[in-house]
C-alpha cells in the first residue's frame, strides 16, 4: 500500500513500495502487513487480490491522499497505513466512513458496499478514551524523538543492532545502481581490500557501531504531569490525562488530555487549574502532534530534520522488533557504560502506567486459553491457515517475552514463591499468569537418573518435545505454552497454567489421566487419549508397547510411560512431560553410566566408579536420528521388495530382465535415499516428523530402461513398519515369555539405531566435511546445528574430535572447533555452578574472576576476585568458594568436565592452543554476557596497554579498576603521553588482570521457546523450488513470491525465519539472472539477520558474502569488496584465521580485483587461497591443483610468465597423479602449460632483443578475457550439482576451457583484460560456489 501524496515516508510500507518500483521481482514487506494471501495450490485467478486506488478525505491539511488497496485487506490495514504516513502522523483516534456510513475495522474492503477503484473514504476523528489518550501519548513521544533510551531487563545493551548501513551507507549502495556516474567518481578512490592483512588478529571494532550523529531534538521533554490522575469530578467532565511539555525555546506548558482532544491549561508546577487558558495564549487540537506544532515555532523544522535523519538508515534497521526477541551483542561500545549516555526522562518510569493503565490490569492475559483457542481456529482454507499461523506466531512471541521477563524477576528473587517453606529448588511461582519452576530436582523425581543434572536436561528435552508436537499440530491434542530461560546460572521453566493441573482429585483418582502417575509405579489408562496419542506416536515412530507397574500389571501405552495425558477442566486433552519421545542411547549409557540401584549388585571388577559416570541418565537419541534411520530402513525394505519382484519377473519372463530403481511417490512424500542425499540447502536440521509421515502405502518404482510411456510399477509398503519402544532399558519387568521376547526384540531394534549412529552417521559427517560435501561450521553454534541435523547429540563432540584427528591435518580445523566447543560448554557448567547460589549483585565479580582464570592466566597467574568488602558484609550466608579458584584449578576442572561429559582427554597443552577471542565469544554467548569492547590483554607483553583504543575518538584508561574517558583533570592526554599516564602508578600498585569488574556491562537471559514454524509458508517455498527445477519458471516465481509474502505475513518482517527465506530467495533470483532483485533481497537478509540472529552470527556472515557476490554480479564491484572485507573481518572474530571455506571467499575477492584491473593485488589473493588450501586439503589434492591453475592465470595477467609456468606445471602434475592422463582437467592444464611455456620463451627472447637494441616481431594472437568470470570453486558439493540449483555446474576440476591466445596478447600487447565478446551477464551466472549445507545458510 503506497501513498501517492508525494511525501517521503518513513514507514515500512512506503519504503518497500519504492523498492518495488525498481525491483518488480521483489515482494514488499507491506504486502505482508495487509494480510494478503493467495492459494498455494494455485486457485483460479478470480480469488486473487484486486488492487486499486482510492481517495481518503482528511479533516486537516493536506485534506486528501490517494492510497493503493487490495480487496482482501481489512479496514484496519488501511488504518495502519494512514497512521504510518508522514502527512497523517497526527491521526490515531479515528474511524473511516464510506458514503456516510461507518465502516467496521475488522471487515475486508471487499465487503464494503460500493467501494471500487476511484472511490472515496472519509477519515473522521473520534473522541478519546483514557486508553486511547495514553496510546496516543506513547506514539507521539516515539514519533518526535522525545523518548530516551529504555533500560530493559530482557533486551540487553544495543539489542537488535544492525551494522549494515555503517558498512555501506544506503545512499552509496543504492547510487551504484545508477551506474557510470559513481564508477567514474570512484576510479581513483582506494578499494576496500587495500591494505588488508590476512594475518592480522581480529579487530573487535568490526562489530561495534561507529559513533553516531546526534539526532535532532524536537522538544526538550514531553511527560505525564505530576497532577495525574484527574480527580473524580473532573473525570466526569472528560479530563483523561495531564501532560507537561517543555519546548526547545524553553517554554513550559501544562496540557490537558480531554475526550475532545488536547488543550493548554492554566496549571503550573505549584498550582492546579486544568481549565483552558484564555486567548491569546490558548491552543487546542485533536492531536497532540498538532498542538506541539502550534506551541513551538521551531518544532516543524526540527521534526522535518528528524525525519531526514531517520531516513538516512534503512527502515529495516530502525523498525521495532515485535515477533521475536532481538539479538544481544556480546560486545558493546564503551560509550554504553558511560554516565553521559544515560539521559534524564521522567516518563521512563511512567511507561508502565501509559501502556497498562493505573491498575496495570490490561496486560494480564490468560495465556493458556489464548494458546488453545488459537489452536482451535479453523484451518480449512488458505486464508484461515494464514490467519491462524500469523496469530500463533504473534502469540508465541508475546508469551516468550512475558515469560522471559518473569523468569528474570524470579531469578533475581523479586517474586514471592507460592510455597516458601519448601526447598529453594522445589519452589514454584506465578507471575503474569505464567507458572515458573526451577529446572532442578527439587522433589527427588530424578534421584536415580542423575538428580539436578537430569532434571536440567529433562526440562530442555520437554521444551523440544513440545515444539515437535506443536509442529505436528494434531487436532484434539493440546500443549502448555513452554519456554526455557537460562539466567544467572539458573534454569527456569515457564509454562502456561493448564486448567485442572492443581485440582485435588477424589480419593482413588489419579492426578494424571494417561501414562505414568508416580514415575513408573502407577500407570493410568484412559481410552479417550488413545486416538490422539496414536496419531502422535505414528508421526514420531513410537511403537505401541506394554509397560508394567509396581504390581506387575500390564498396561498398553501409545507413548512413553513418562509422557502424560491430562484431561483439563476445560475439557481439552493436554499432553505433558515430553522429554522421552525417543529411546535412551543405550550404547552410551552402557559405557558411561552405572545405575545407582545396580552398584551393589555388580562384581568389583565390573563395577564402574561412580565419579566417572556420565552426569545423568537422560542420554536420549535425537528425533532426527530416528527419522534418518526410518528412511534408511524403509529404503532397505523397498530395495528388498524390488529384488524379490525382479527375481519373480526373471523367472517368469526372460525378456523382462531389468533392474528397478526405487524412487519416491510424489503423493506420499516418502523418500528412499539415504540421509547423505538430503538437500544441503535446508536451513532447519530436518523436516519434522509430520512431513515424513506416510499417508498411503504405495511407493512408485521406475525402471532404468523403461519408456516414459509405460506405466510405473507401484510397490506396496503397507507391510513396512519401523517404530521404536521408548521405554526399553528402563527397568521394565515383563511377566510372560512372550512379553520377554517382545521386549528383547524392541531392545535389539534400539541398539541397531545406536549402532547406525556410531558406524554410519558420525563417520559420514566427518567424511562429508573432509570432502567438502557440506559447508564447514564456523563456530560452536553452527557446529551444533550441523550435528543436530544429522541426529548427533552434543555429547559426541569428543567422538567427532577423535574422528577428525584420525584424518590428520585436513580436519584439524574441525578438531580444534570441537575442542573449543567442549571447553566453552564445560566452563559454562562450572560458572553456572558457582553463580546460581550467589546474590545477583556478585555474579559479575564471580564471572570476571573465572574469565581471568580461563583466559588471563598467562597475563596474571594469581588473579583475585574484585569484591566490595562493604557489600560482602551485608550477605552472611553466601558461598564464596569461587574466590579460591586460580588458573590451575580451573584448568583441572575444565579437563575433568570435558572428560566427564564428552569422554575426551584434552591433554596437557590445550590452553596454549586455544583462541582467546573466539573462546571468549563462545562463553559470552552461552552465559549471556555483554562485555566492553576493547583489546583484552591475554599475554604479558601488553601489560602497559591493558585498555586499548577500540572506538575512534575514545581513549580508554584504567583508573582503580574503573574505565574512564582518558580525561585527567581538565585536559585530555595526548597520544605521545600515553606511557606517562597519570594512572600508571595505580596500575603498578594493583596486579593487572585481563577482565575488570567494569568490563562486564550486563547479563542477558538465554531464551528457548517452542514456537512452531509455518507449514504453509514452507510448503509454498518448496513448491516454488520444485517448479523451478522442473523448468516451470513462471509458476515457480509465483510460488516463491507467495512464499515470501506468507513468511512476512505470518512471522513479521523482523524474524529469523524471514531472514533465512530472504537469503534463500536471493540465491534463487541470482541464479535466474534477476540480479537487482537478488541484491535487494540479500540486503534485507543481512539487516534482518543482524538484528535477530546477531551482528556476528555465522548466518549473518554468509548473508554478507552473498550480498557482496550479488553486488559484483550487478556491476557494483567496489561496493561488493566492502561487503566482502566486512565478512572476512567478522570471520576472524568468529573463527580466527584461515577457515577452510574462506578459500572460496578469497577467490571471489581475487576475481573482483581482476575485474577492477588490479592484477597484482588479485594475484596476492589467489596466492593466499592456495596457501589455505594447501594447509586444509594438502599439497597434492585436486582442490590445490585447481587453485594452482587459477593462480597461474593470475600470474600471467600480472606479467609473471615464469611464475605462471611453474604454477601450471604444479597443477598439471597433481591432476596427472590424482586423475590420470585422460581426465579433461589434466589435458586442459597440459595445453595451458604448453602455451604458457612457449609464450614465456617468446617473452624472454623479446626482452633479450630489446636489451641488444634489436626488435623481434612477436606473433600476437587474438585476445580473450579471464576477466570477471569467477574461477572454478573449491569444494563445490556433488549435492549442489545434483540438486539442479546451479545449471552451470562449475566445480572442482572444471577448469577454464578457453585458449591462452588472448591472454598472450594481453601480456605482450597490454590492454584491457575484459574482452568485447564476453557477455556481461556471464559474471552473474558463473559465481558462486554454494556453501555446502543449508546448515550454514547458502552460497558464497
Amino acid at each position: 500500500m503506497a501513498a501517492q501524496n508525494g511525501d517521503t515516508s518513513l514507514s515500512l510500507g512506503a519504503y518497500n513500495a519504492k523498492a518495488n518500483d525498481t525491483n518488480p521481482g521483489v515482494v514488499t514487506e507491506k504486502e505482508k502487513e495487509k494480510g494478503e494471501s493467495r492459494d498455494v495450490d494455485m486457485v483460479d485467478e478470480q480469488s486473487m487480490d484486486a488492487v486499486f486506488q482510492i481517495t481518503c478525505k482528511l479533516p486537516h491539511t493536506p485534506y486528501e491522499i490517494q492510497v493503493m488497496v487490495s480487496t482482501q485487506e481489512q479496514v484496519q490495514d488501511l488504518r495502519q497505513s494512514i497512521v504510518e504516513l508522514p502527512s497523517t502522523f497526527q491521526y490515531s483516534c479515528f474511524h473511516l466512513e464510506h458514503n456516510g456510513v461507518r465502516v467496521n475495522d475488522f471487515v475486508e474492503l471487499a465487503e464494503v458496499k460500493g467501494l471500487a477503484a476511484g472511490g472515496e473514504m472519509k477519515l473522521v476523528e473520534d473522541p478519546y478514551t483514557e486508553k486511547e489518550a495514553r496510546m496516543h501519548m506513547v506514539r507521539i513521544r516515539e514519533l518526535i524523538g522525545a523518548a530516551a533510551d529504555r533500560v530493559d531487563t530482557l533486551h540487553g545493551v544495543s539489542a537488535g543492532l544492525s551494522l549494515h548501513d555503517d558498512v555501506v551507507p544506503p545512499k552509496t549502495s543504492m547510487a551504484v545502481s545508477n551506474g557510470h556516474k559513481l564508477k567514474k567518481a570512484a576510479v581513483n578512490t582506494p578499494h576496500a581490500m587495500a591494505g588488508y592483512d590476512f594475518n592480522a588478529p581480529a579487530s573487535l571494532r568490526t562489530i561495534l557501531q561507529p559513533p553516531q550523529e546526534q539526532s535532532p531534538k524536537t522538544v526538550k521533554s514531553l511527560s505525564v504531569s505530576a497532577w495525574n490522575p484527574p480527580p473524580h469530578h473532573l473525570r466526569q467532565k472528560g479530563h483523561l490525562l495531564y501532560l507537561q511539555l517543555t519546548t526547545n525555546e524553553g517554554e513550559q506548558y501544562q496540557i490537558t488530555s480531554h475526550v475532545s482532544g488536547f488543550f493548554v491549561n492554566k496549571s503550573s508546577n505549584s498550582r492546579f487549574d486544568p481549565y483552558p487558558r484564555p486567548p491569546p495564549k490558548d491552543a487546542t487540537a485533536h492531536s497532540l502532534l498538532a498542538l506541539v506544532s502550534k506551541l513551538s515555532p521551531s518544532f516543524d523544522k526540527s521534526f522535518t530534520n528528524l525525519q531526514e535523519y531517520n531516513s538516512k538508515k534503512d527502515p529495516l534497521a530502525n523498525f521495532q522488533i515485535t515477533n521475536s526477541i532481538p539479538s544481544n551483542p556480546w560486545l558493546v561500545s564503551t560509550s554504553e557504560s558511560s554516565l553521559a549516555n544515560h539521559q534524564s526522562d521522567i516518563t521512563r518510569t511512567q511507561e508502565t502506567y501509559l501502556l497498562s493503565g493505573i491498575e496495570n490490569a490490561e496486560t494480564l492475559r490468560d495465556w493458556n486459553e489464548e494458546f488453545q483457542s488459537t489452536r482451535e481456529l479453523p484451518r480449512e482454507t488458505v486464508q484461515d491457515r494464514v490467519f491462524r499461523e500469523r496469530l500463533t506466531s504473534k502469540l508465541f512471541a508475546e508469551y516468550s517475552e512475558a515469560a522471559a521477563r518473569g523468569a528474570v524477576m524470579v531469578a533475581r528473587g523479586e517474586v514471592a514463591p507460592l510455597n516458601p517453606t519448601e526447598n529453594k529448588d522445589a519452589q514454584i511461582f506465578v507471575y503474569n499468569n505464567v507458572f515458573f519452576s526451577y529446572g532442578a530436582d527439587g522433589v527427588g523425581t530424578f534421584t536415580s537418573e542423575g538428580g539436578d543434572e537430569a532434571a536440567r536436561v529433562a526440562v530442555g528435552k520437554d521444551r523440544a518435545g513440545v515444539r515437535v508436537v506443536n509442529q505436528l499440530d494434531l487436532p484434539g491434542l493440546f500443549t502448555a505454552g513452554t519456554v526455557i530461560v537460562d539466567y544467572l546460572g539458573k534454569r527456569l521453566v515457564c509454562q502456561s497454567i493448564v486448567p485442572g493441573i492443581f485440582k485435588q482429585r477424589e480419593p482413588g483418582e489419579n492426578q494424571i489421566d494417561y501414562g505414568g502417575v508416580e514415575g513408573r509405579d502407577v500407570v493410568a489408562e484412559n481410552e479417550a487419549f488413545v486416538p490422539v496419542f496414536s496419531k502422535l506416536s505414528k508421526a514420531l515412530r513410537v511403537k505401541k508397547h506394554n509397560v508394567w507397574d509396581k504390581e506387575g500389571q500390564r498396561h498398553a501405552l501409545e507413548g512413553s510411560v513418562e509422557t502424560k495425558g491430562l484431561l483439563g477442566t476445560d475439557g481439552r486433552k493436554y499432553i505433558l512431560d515430553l522429554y522421552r519421545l525417543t529411546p535412551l542411547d543405550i550404547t552410551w549409557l552402557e559405557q558411561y553410566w552405572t545405575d545407582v540401584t545396580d552398584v551393589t549388585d555388580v562384581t568389583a571388577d565390573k563395577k564402574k566408579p561412580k565419579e566417572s559416570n556420565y552426569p545423568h541418565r537422560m542420554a536420549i537419541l535425537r528425533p532426527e536420528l530416528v527419522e534418518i534411520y526410518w528412511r534408511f530402513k524403509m529404503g532397505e525394505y523397498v530395495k528388498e521388495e524390488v529384488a524379490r519382484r525382479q527375481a519373480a519377473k526373471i523367472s517368469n519372463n526372460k525378456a523382462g530382465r531389468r533392474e528397478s530403481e526405487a524412487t519416491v511417490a510424489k503423493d506420499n512424500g516418502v523418500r528412499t535415499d539415504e540421509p547423505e542425499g538430503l538437500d544441503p540447502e535446508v536451513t532447519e536440521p530436518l523436516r519434522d516428523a509430520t512431513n515424513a509421515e506416510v499417508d498411503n502405502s504405495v511407493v512408485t518404482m521406475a525402471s532404468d530402461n523403461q519408456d516414459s510411456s509405460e506405466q510405473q510399477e507401484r510397490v506396496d509398503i503397507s507391510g513396512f513398519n519401523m517404530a521404536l519402544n521408548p521405554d526399553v532399558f528402563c527397568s521394565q519387568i515383563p511377566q510372560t515369555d512372550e512379553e520377554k521376547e517382545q521386549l528383547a526384540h524392541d531392545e535389539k531394534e534400539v541398539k541397531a539405531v545406536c549402532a547406525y549412529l556410531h558406524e554410519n552417521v558420525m563417520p559420514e559427517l566427518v567424511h562429508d566435511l573432509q570432502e567438502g560435501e557440506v559447508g564447514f561450521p564456523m563456530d560452536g553454534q553452527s557446529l551444533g546445528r550441523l550435528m543436530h541435523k544429522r541426529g548427533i547429540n552434543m555429547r559426541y563432540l569428543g567422538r567427532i574430535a577423535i574422528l577428525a584427528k584420525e584424518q590428520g591435518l585436513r580436519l584439524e580445523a574441525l578438531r580444534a572447533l570441537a575442542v573449543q566447543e567442549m571447553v566453552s560448554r564445560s566452563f559454562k557448567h562450572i560458572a553456572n555452578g558457582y553463580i546460581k547460589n550467589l546474590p545477583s549483585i556478585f555474579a559479575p565479580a564471580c564471572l570476571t574472576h573465572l574469565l581471568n582464570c580461563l583466559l588471563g592466566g598467562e597475563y596474571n597467574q594469581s588473579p583475585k576476585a574484585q569484591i566490595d568488602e562493604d557489600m560482602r558484609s551485608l550477605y552472611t550466608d553466601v558461598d564464596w568458594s569461587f574466590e579460591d579458584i586460580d588458573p590451575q584449578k580451573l584448568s583441572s576442572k575444565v579437563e575433568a568436565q570435558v572428560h566427564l561429559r564428552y569422554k575426551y582427554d584434552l591433554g596437557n597443552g590445550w590452553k596454549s592452543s586455544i583462541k582467546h577471542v573466539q573462546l571468549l565469544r563462545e562463553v559470552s554467548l552461552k552465559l549471556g554476557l555483554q562485555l566492553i569492547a576493547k583489546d583484552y590483554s591475554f599475554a604479558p607483553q601488553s601489560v602497559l596497554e591493558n585498555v586499548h583504543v577500540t572506538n575512534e575518538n575514545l581513549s580508554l584508561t584504567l583508573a582503580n579498576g574503573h574505565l574512564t574517558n582518558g580525561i585527567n583533570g581538565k585536559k585530555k592526554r595526548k597520544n605521545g603521553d600515553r606511557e606517562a599516564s597519570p594512572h600508571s602508578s595505580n596500575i603498578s600498585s594493583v596486579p593487572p588482570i585481563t577482565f575488570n569488574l567494569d568490563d562486564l556491562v550486563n547479563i542477558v537471559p538465554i531464551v528457548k521457546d517452542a514456537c512452531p514454524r509455518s507449514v504453509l509458508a514452507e510448503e509454498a517455498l518448496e513448491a516454488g523450488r520444485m517448479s523451478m527445477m522442473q523448468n516451470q519458471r513462471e509458476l515457480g516465481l509465483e510460488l516463491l513470491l507467495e512464499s515470501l509474502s506468507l513468511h512476512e505475513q505470518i512471522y513479521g518482517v523482523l524474524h529469523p525465519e524471514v531472514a533465512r527465506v530472504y537469503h534463500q530467495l536471493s540465491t534463487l533470483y541470482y541464479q535466474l539472472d534477476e540480479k537487482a532483485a537478488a541484491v535487494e533481497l540479500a540486503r534485507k537478509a543481512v539487516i534482518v539477520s543482524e538484528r535477530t540472529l546477531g551482528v556476528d552470527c555465522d548466518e549473518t556472515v554468509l548473508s554478507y558474502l552473498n550480498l557482496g557476490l550479488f553486488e559484483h554480479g550487478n556491476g557494483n564491484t567496489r561496493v561488493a569488496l566492502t561487503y566482502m572485507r566486512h565478512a572476512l573481518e567478522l570471520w576472524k572474530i568468529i573463527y580466527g584465521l584461515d577457515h577452510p571455506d574462506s578459500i572460496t571467499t578469497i577467490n571471489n575477492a581475487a576475481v573482483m580485483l581482476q575485474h577492477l584491473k588490479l592484477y597484482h593485488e588479485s594475484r596476492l589473493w589467489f596466492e593466499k587461497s592456495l596457501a589455505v588450501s594447501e594447509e586444509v586439503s594438502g599439497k597434492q589434492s585436486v582442490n590445490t591443483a585447481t587453485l594452482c591453475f587459477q593462480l597461474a592465470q593470475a600470474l600471467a595477467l600480472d606479467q609473471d610468465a615464469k611464475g605462471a609456468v611453474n604454477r601450471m606445471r604444479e597443477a598439471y602434475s597433481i591432476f596427472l597423479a590424482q586423475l590420470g592422463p585422460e581426465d579433461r582437467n589434466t589435458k586442459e592444464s597440459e595445453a595451458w602449460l604448453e602455451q604458457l611455456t612457449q609464450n614465456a620463451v617468446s617473452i624472454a627472447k623479446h626482452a633479450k632483443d630489446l636489451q641488444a637494441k634489436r626488435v623481434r616481431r612477436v606473433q600476437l594472437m587474438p585476445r580473450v578475457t579471464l576477466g570477471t568470470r569467477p574461477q572454478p570453486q573449491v569444494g563445490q558439493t556433488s549435492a549442489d550439482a545434483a540438486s539442479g540449483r546451479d545449471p552451470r555446474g562449475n566445480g572442482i576440476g572444471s577448469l577454464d576451457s578457453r585458449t591462452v591466445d588472448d591472454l598472450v596478447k594481453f601480456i605482450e600487447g597490454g590492454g584491457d583484460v575484459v574482452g568485447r565478446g564476453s557477455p556481461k551477464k556471464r559474471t552473474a551466472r558463473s559465481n558462486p560456489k554454494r556453501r555446502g549445507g543449508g546448515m550454514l545458510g547458502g552460497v558464497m
Side-chain angles (χ1 to χ4, degrees), residues 905-969:
D905 184 9
L906 286 175
N908 296 326
W910 67 273
K911 292 199 72 173
S912 61
S913 62
I914 62 173
K915 303 173 183 177
H916 292 91
V917 172
Q918 287 70 35
L919 183 56
L920 176 61
R921 174 181 178 271
E922 293 288 353
V923 167
S924 300
L925 292 176
K926 287 175 173 58
L927 291 171
L929 310 184
Q930 289 191 293
L931 300 164
I932 286 290
K934 65 179 186 180
D935 291 339
Y936 290 101
S937 302
F938 301 112
Q941 61 266 24
S942 52
V943 172
L944 296 179
E945 295 292 334
N946 182 40
V947 182
H948 188 67
V949 178
T950 56
N951 276 350
E952 293 180 345
N953 304 322
L954 287 176
S955 177
L956 306 180
T957 58
L958 183 67
N960 297 323
H962 293 275
L963 291 173
T964 72
N965 62 358
I967 300 176
N968 179 36

Side-chain angles (χ1 to χ4, degrees), residues 99 287 421 453 503 570 611 703 711 721 760 765 1038 1142:
N99 294 334
S287 169
T421 59
E453 287 277 2
K503 177 184 175 182
D570 57 359
E611 59 273 12
S703 299
Q711 188 175 3
N721 181 32
N760 295 75
L765 172 62
E1038 176 67 24
S1142 66

Side-chain angles (χ1 to χ4, degrees), residues 602-609:
V602 296
T603 58
D605 57 333
K606 294 182 180 180
K607 182 175 176 180
K608 292 176 232 173

Side-chain angles (χ1 to χ4, degrees), residues 757-1044:
L757 170 66
H758 285 263
E759 297 170 7
N760 295 75
V761 176
M762 285 191 283
E764 285 172 3
L765 172 62
V766 173
H767 175 269
D768 289 348
L769 286 170
Q770 181 179 0
E771 299 299 324
E773 291 297 323
V774 293
F776 205 92
M778 298 184 190
D779 59 358
Q781 190 177 32
S782 54
L783 176 60
R785 286 202 308 272
L786 179 59
M787 290 175 63
H788 288 167
K789 177 184 176 181
R790 299 295 186 100
I792 305 172
N793 301 84
M794 297 307 290
R795 60 178 171 270
Y796 285 108
L797 273 170
R799 178 63 178 163
I800 295 296
I802 292 172
L803 290 174
K805 189 175 182 180
E806 292 173 355
Q807 303 302 318
L809 291 177
R810 293 192 180 187
L811 285 180
E812 173 59 26
L814 176 61
R815 188 203 65 82
L817 192 58
V819 168
Q820 176 179 287
E821 183 67 3
M822 287 188 284
V823 170
S824 63
R825 285 172 172 262
S826 298
F827 178 82
K828 177 191 72 173
H829 288 290
I830 294 169
N832 284 339
Y834 284 114
I835 66 175
K836 69 179 180 181
N837 295 319
L838 282 177
S840 59
I841 196 172
F842 294 113
C846 175
L847 289 168
T848 52
H849 177 64
L850 293 177
L851 286 174
N852 282 322
C853 294
L854 178 69
L855 297 169
E858 295 181 29
Y859 188 69
N860 184 336
Q861 297 182 1
S862 303
K864 301 296 180 184
Q866 297 174 304
I867 300 177
D868 189 315
E869 294 300 327
D870 293 334
M871 292 204 317
R872 185 202 296 261
S873 63
L874 299 176
Y875 297 87
T876 57
D877 57 346
V878 174
D879 181 7
W880 304 103
S881 59
F882 71 88
E883 291 184 282
D884 300 330
I885 297 295
D886 58 30
Q888 291 73 28
K889 291 180 181 178
L890 184 63
S891 296
S892 299
K893 284 181 174 290
V894 169
E895 292 168 8
Q897 284 289 317
V898 169
H899 181 74
L900 182 69
R901 296 178 182 276
Y902 307 105
K903 306 306 173 185
Y904 183 81
D905 184 9
L906 286 175
N908 296 326
W910 67 273
K911 292 199 72 173
S912 61
S913 62
I914 62 173
K915 303 173 183 177
H916 292 91
V917 172
Q918 287 70 35
L919 183 56
L920 176 61
R921 174 181 178 271
E922 293 288 353
V923 167
S924 300
L925 292 176
K926 287 175 173 58
L927 291 171
L929 310 184
Q930 289 191 293
L931 300 164
I932 286 290
K934 65 179 186 180
D935 291 339
Y936 290 101
S937 302
F938 301 112
Q941 61 266 24
S942 52
V943 172
L944 296 179
E945 295 292 334
N946 182 40
V947 182
H948 188 67
V949 178
T950 56
N951 276 350
E952 293 180 345
N953 304 322
L954 287 176
S955 177
L956 306 180
T957 58
L958 183 67
N960 297 323
H962 293 275
L963 291 173
T964 72
N965 62 358
I967 300 176
N968 179 36
K970 297 182 180 179
K971 62 181 180 179
K972 296 182 181 179
R973 225 176 41 228
K974 295 182 180 179
N975 292 336
D977 299 330
R978 179 176 299 174
E979 295 181 5
S981 168
H983 302 298
S984 59
S985 59
N986 292 332
I987 293 179
S988 60
S989 61
V990 178
I993 53 178
T994 302
F995 299 94
N996 291 288
L997 192 58
D998 289 344
D999 292 336
L1000 180 55
V1001 176
N1002 189 31
I1003 304 174
V1004 295
I1006 308 299
V1007 183
K1008 302 173 183 177
D1009 63 30
C1011 181
R1013 301 189 312 277
S1014 168
V1015 175
L1016 181 63
E1018 291 188 358
E1019 286 175 354
L1021 180 62
E1022 193 60 33
R1025 281 176 173 168
M1026 295 298 296
S1027 298
M1028 300 304 298
M1029 292 173 62
Q1030 295 167 4
N1031 294 323
Q1032 297 177 348
R1033 178 182 173 123
E1034 185 175 347
L1035 174 60
L1037 283 174
E1038 176 67 24
L1039 288 169
L1040 292 176
L1041 293 176
E1042 184 65 33
S1043 172
L1044 177 58

Side-chain angles (χ1 to χ4, degrees), residues 133 175 372 441 462 494 662 734 750 833 835:
Q372 315 318 334
D441 192 23
D462 178 49
C494 320
V750 171
I835 66 175

